[in-house]
Amino acid sequence: MTDDVAAARAAVEEKSAFSHPPVDPDTTAAYGDDPDHVIDFWTPRGGSGPAPVVVVLHGGAWRAPYDRRHVSPFAAFLAHRGFAVASFEYRRGAAGADGGDPVAGRWPDTFDDVAAAVDALPTLIREHLPAGDPRRIVLTGHSAGGHLALWAAARHVLPAGSPWRTDAPAPLRGVVALAPIADFEVADKLGVCGGATRELLGGDDYFAERRPHADPALLLPTGIATTLVQGGADIDVPPAVAESYADAAAKAGEVVGVTLLPDVGHFPLVDPAADACAVVAEEIAQLAW
């Protein structure tokens, strides 16, 4: 496939994924004081008894223009599949100065927020999502959100002294990361999302220093069941990024599942109109139930 054809198909897939109107949650709760410190909740449709909780971390290269609303149709899709759903917001990079491009992420705010949201989640589930079972939580996230899902599950293996390190693994059923930015070295070499990984860590002066605190490929093994779902035709976050993470996990003695979907790009994984989205739901169900 030529680059022009691949780009044209990617544009069609992106247009489809963003064509769905946002879906309002059943309720929203705060986990902190900032306007971005909120979690949207969807009650599971159908079924009886407490349902597994799927935590959705949205992508968008950690940049301000992309918030949780763009994955609300995906969250609602999961709720209709019988899951309780929690969709996190978190602080992203500032808008570009003088009309320039927005910055990818904030250090350390983006990581502070995800850690705080995960820590607050069990209590907020009991208060705002009674149909959800806090003992059965699966993290999922798309692209930059896939990175954050992998990172949140690996806090117990962060370097000693890291402000986000926990004493024990999070009580998760697992992680299903969708086209995740899972290996910062490979993503940086490929220029993924316009060099977003380097921006997230504060630029050239901090990239090497901060990678051990942020790069999932350096935070292994986690001991938590992990599956990566990756489009084989993804030109936004190419398969090489997920493959490198899986290789790093294997070298660390951990098996990470990789579901590679041929002829699928970046956005169908969170597009309720795409067959790939149904595959994602099944992968989540494998861990959740």
Side-chain angles (χ1 to χ4, degrees), residues 4 13 23 34 37 43 71 79 102 111 118 126 143 161 173 215-216 222 227 250 259 279:
D4 288 344
E13 291 176 338
V23 179
D34 191 270
H37 289 165
T43 299
V71 293
F111 297 92
V118 169
R126 288 190 288 269
S143 194
R173 281 294 180 92
D215 186 347
T222 67
T227 298
T259 299
V279 174

Side-chain angles (χ1 to χ4, degrees), residues 1 9 13 230-234 239 259-265 268-269 276 279:
M1 181 183 299
R9 182 169 70 176
E13 291 176 338
Q230 175 70 47
D234 191 336
T259 299
L260 186 66
L261 304 180
D263 301 321
V264 170
L269 304 180
V279 174

Side-chain angles (χ1 to χ4, degrees), residues 42-69:
W42 282 263
T43 299
R45 273 49 172 176
S48 60
V53 178
V54 181
V55 174
V56 176
L57 287 149
H58 71 81
W62 311 283
R63 291 181 172 128
Y66 304 95
D67 63 14
R68 70 194 187 285
R69 296 289 285 167

Side-chain angles (χ1 to χ4, degrees), residues 67-88:
D67 63 14
R68 70 194 187 285
R69 296 289 285 167
H70 84 268
V71 293
S72 62
F74 173 63
F77 169 83
L78 293 175
H80 282 284
R81 287 291 184 117
F83 299 108
V85 182
S87 180
F88 290 1

Side-chain angles (χ1 to χ4, degrees), residues 46-190:
S48 60
V53 178
V54 181
V55 174
V56 176
L57 287 149
H58 71 81
W62 311 283
R63 291 181 172 128
Y66 304 95
D67 63 14
R68 70 194 187 285
R69 296 289 285 167
H70 84 268
V71 293
S72 62
F74 173 63
F77 169 83
L78 293 175
H80 282 284
R81 287 291 184 117
F83 299 108
V85 182
S87 180
F88 290 1
E89 193 54 272
Y90 52 88
R91 285 174 286 182
R92 295 151 338 271
D98 300 324
D101 292 335
V103 177
R106 303 188 204 179
W107 181 277
D109 308 53
T110 300
F111 297 92
D112 287 345
D113 292 357
V114 172
V118 169
D119 291 345
L121 186 62
T123 297
L124 293 178
I125 289 172
R126 288 190 288 269
E127 294 176 351
H128 299 279
L129 194 63
D133 184 353
R135 299 167 300 176
R136 292 184 291 168
I137 297 174
V138 174
L139 301 185
T140 192
H142 179 238
S143 194
H147 156 260
L148 293 172
L150 293 170
W151 177 84
R155 289 169 59 202
H156 58 293
V157 293
L158 283 167
S162 173
W164 308 294
R165 183 181 169 95
T166 56
D167 294 332
L172 303 172
R173 281 294 180 92
V175 180
V176 179
L178 314 176
I181 304 178
D183 185 314
F184 279 15
E185 182 177 22
V186 174
D188 185 58
K189 288 178 179 177
L190 294 175

